[in-house]
């Protein structure tokens, strides 16, 4: 149980960082390679912890919007109208967000500043991360199963 709390706490904390945090997939791969935690619950827990951390990041960022100058708030409002002016743009934005290569911390900070609805954004992030984390952890599992024995034989052989 402690291993799961360490995984969840680590990933949640990393996803609270607005910049310079390690990618969550790398942390999941680390835990997969260095523990006996099963892959499927690891991916699920990782996606939930990452989405929760990013949601909190955006929510906290939203509280700083009021500290900006009136000009900056007007610019944010104009950007929000351009990005969310129609349902088509909003849906395209969510789809792009789910598969975007842009670091998600900056996207969630921007979402917090733009006051976009955070639950749909977090759900799209969660869905996209389930897919990507599954691929990374599956690759780590395959490497652990096949290369682990090879490396063990090479290192352990006289």
């Amino acid at each position: 149980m402690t291993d799961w709390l360490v995984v969840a706490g680590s990933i949640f904390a990393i996803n609270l960082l607005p910049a310079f945090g390690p990618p969550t997939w790398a942390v999941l791969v680390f835990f997969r390679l260095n523990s006996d935690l099963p892959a499927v619950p690891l991916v699920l827990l990782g996606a939930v912890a990452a989405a929760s951390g990013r949601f909190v990041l955006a929510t906290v960022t939203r509280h700083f919007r009021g500290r900006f100058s009136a000009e900056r708030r007007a610019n944010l409002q104009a950007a929000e109208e351009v990005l969310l002016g129609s349902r088509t743009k909003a849906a395209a934005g969510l789809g792009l967000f789910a598969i975007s290569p842009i670091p998600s911390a900056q996207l969630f900070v921007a979402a917090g500043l733009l006051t976009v609805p955070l639950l749909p954004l977090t759900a799209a992030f969660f869905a996209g991360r389930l897919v990507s984390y599954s691929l990374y952890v599956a690759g780590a599992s395959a490497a652990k199963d096949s290369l682990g024995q090879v490396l063990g034989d090479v290192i352990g052989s006289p």
Side-chain angles (χ1 to χ4, degrees), residues 73-142:
R73 284 194 304 267
N75 288 340
L76 288 171
Q77 184 63 35
E80 187 173 332
E81 289 171 10
V82 168
L83 293 172
L84 301 174
S86 70
R87 286 184 172 245
T88 306
K89 287 181 183 178
L94 280 177
L96 181 62
F97 184 74
I99 59 171
S100 175
I102 299 171
S104 62
Q106 289 80 5
L107 291 172
F108 271 95
V109 168
L113 292 175
L114 294 176
T115 66
V116 300
L118 294 179
L119 287 178
L121 188 68
T122 305
F125 174 79
F126 175 77
R129 291 318 188 249
L130 272 180
V131 173
S132 63
Y133 295 167
S134 295
L135 294 173
Y136 285 117
V137 171
S141 298

Side-chain angles (χ1 to χ4, degrees), residues 53-94:
R54 292 300 191 215
F55 181 82
V56 171
L57 174 65
T59 303
V60 169
T61 302
R62 188 159 285 174
H63 294 291
F64 289 100
R65 182 180 170 126
R67 296 179 186 238
F68 288 171
S69 67
E71 179 184 353
R72 178 93 33 152
R73 284 194 304 267
N75 288 340
L76 288 171
Q77 184 63 35
E80 187 173 332
E81 289 171 10
V82 168
L83 293 172
L84 301 174
S86 70
R87 286 184 172 245
T88 306
K89 287 181 183 178
L94 280 177

